[in-house]
Amino acid sequence: MLAICLFIPFIGFSQAKNVLNGTRVFPKQDKIAEFEKALANHAQKYHTGDYKWRVWAIQSGPDAGGYLLTEGPDSWDLLDSRGDLGAEHTSDWDKNVAPLTTDRGSSSYTEFQPDLSTVQLTDYADKIVISHITAKPGKINAVGELLKKMKNNWQASSESVAVYLLVASGDPGYLTVTRLKNGLKELSSDYRKPLKERFTAANGEGSFDVFLKDYADAVENRWSELLIYKPALSSK
């Protein structure tokens, strides 16, 4: 019993570092240069170690012109003890960064899903496509099953895709992050064979039609965006 009691405090430290916090901010259009300078200074001074930032410029979709700040990967246990990183940190953001942004913004938590992904969590690329998939009520598990079938296709097509589950961040759903290891040319319609042909080869004859039917039954909506990594604005 004593041994068990002594072990309990260490259980939290064994949690996997598989959680990302994503924050979206939008600079004032006449303050972009000042915003980028202030953001870089803030990231490189205050966001190091477990709380380092990777900063992305959002190139397309409804959030085009904004920036995505991803912090982590962390564990939930680490996030429990994170706090606000200190008064100096908060003051720097409030005085030097926030005044250069608009009132628009959002934040979310996601948990990496290794069983649905074809790439390791930290095997990054500089150009990515994020697809936001919202499940219909009661259909979140069905969406997970659809992604398992898509994984077969991604593996057969040599696509690097990281899958994340949204946690306590709005409607239930997943994010799929296609890491364009070979650059934007991967988006060309002739870079790979058509999706139906690739999916059928990976999952069997007739599987694509079944997939589309199940997709329509389980998915409320889906939208995508292109992002480009900005190392000069990120933590060092």
Side-chain angles (χ1 to χ4, degrees), residues 106-143:
S106 65
S107 186
S108 64
Y109 289 96
T110 58
E111 194 171 86
F112 179 65
Q113 305 293 295
D115 58 321
L116 300 178
S117 304
T118 61
V119 67
Q120 296 299 311
L121 173 55
T122 57
D123 184 11
Y124 300 120
D126 290 344
K127 298 178 178 68
I128 61 175
V129 173
I130 301 179
S131 293
H132 303 250
I133 305 171
T134 302
K136 290 181 178 179
K139 295 292 185 177
I140 188 66
N141 290 336
V143 174

Side-chain angles (χ1 to χ4, degrees), residues 36-204:
E36 289 192 344
K37 181 179 180 180
L39 183 68
N41 289 338
H42 182 85
Q44 291 161 22
K45 185 173 183 179
Y46 298 105
H47 288 271
T48 58
D50 290 322
Y51 308 116
K52 62 186 177 184
W53 276 359
R54 291 175 63 81
V55 177
W56 305 81
I58 305 171
Q59 302 293 302
S60 64
D63 287 348
Y67 292 76
L68 172 64
L69 324 175
T70 58
E71 182 177 293
D74 298 318
S75 66
W76 291 113
D77 183 68
L78 269 172
L79 289 171
D80 243 348
S81 59
R82 177 188 185 279
D84 60 8
L85 301 184
E88 184 180 321
H89 160 269
T90 302
S91 176
D92 182 75
W93 179 268
D94 291 345
K95 291 181 179 180
N96 298 319
V97 184
L100 304 173
T101 67
T102 68
D103 292 337
R104 183 182 176 192
S106 65
S107 186
S108 64
Y109 289 96
T110 58
E111 194 171 86
F112 179 65
Q113 305 293 295
D115 58 321
L116 300 178
S117 304
T118 61
V119 67
Q120 296 299 311
L121 173 55
T122 57
D123 184 11
Y124 300 120
D126 290 344
K127 298 178 178 68
I128 61 175
V129 173
I130 301 179
S131 293
H132 303 250
I133 305 171
T134 302
K136 290 181 178 179
K139 295 292 185 177
I140 188 66
N141 290 336
V143 174
E145 292 300 314
L146 291 171
L147 291 172
K148 287 180 182 178
K149 295 177 181 178
M150 281 301 300
K151 180 180 179 178
N152 295 337
N153 169 63
W154 296 330
Q155 287 178 319
S157 305
S158 299
E159 294 181 75
S160 298
V161 183
V163 179
Y164 302 83
L165 176 69
L166 283 164
V167 181
S169 299
D171 294 330
Y174 286 88
L175 302 182
T176 65
V177 181
T178 301
R179 297 174 178 174
L180 304 173
K181 295 298 187 78
N182 292 317
L184 296 180
K185 65 182 180 182
E186 289 196 44
L187 299 178
S188 174
S189 59
D190 60 2
Y191 186 81
R192 293 184 173 91
K193 294 180 179 180
L195 174 58
K196 181 177 182 179
E197 184 177 340
R198 291 184 280 122
F199 189 93
T200 300
N203 291 284

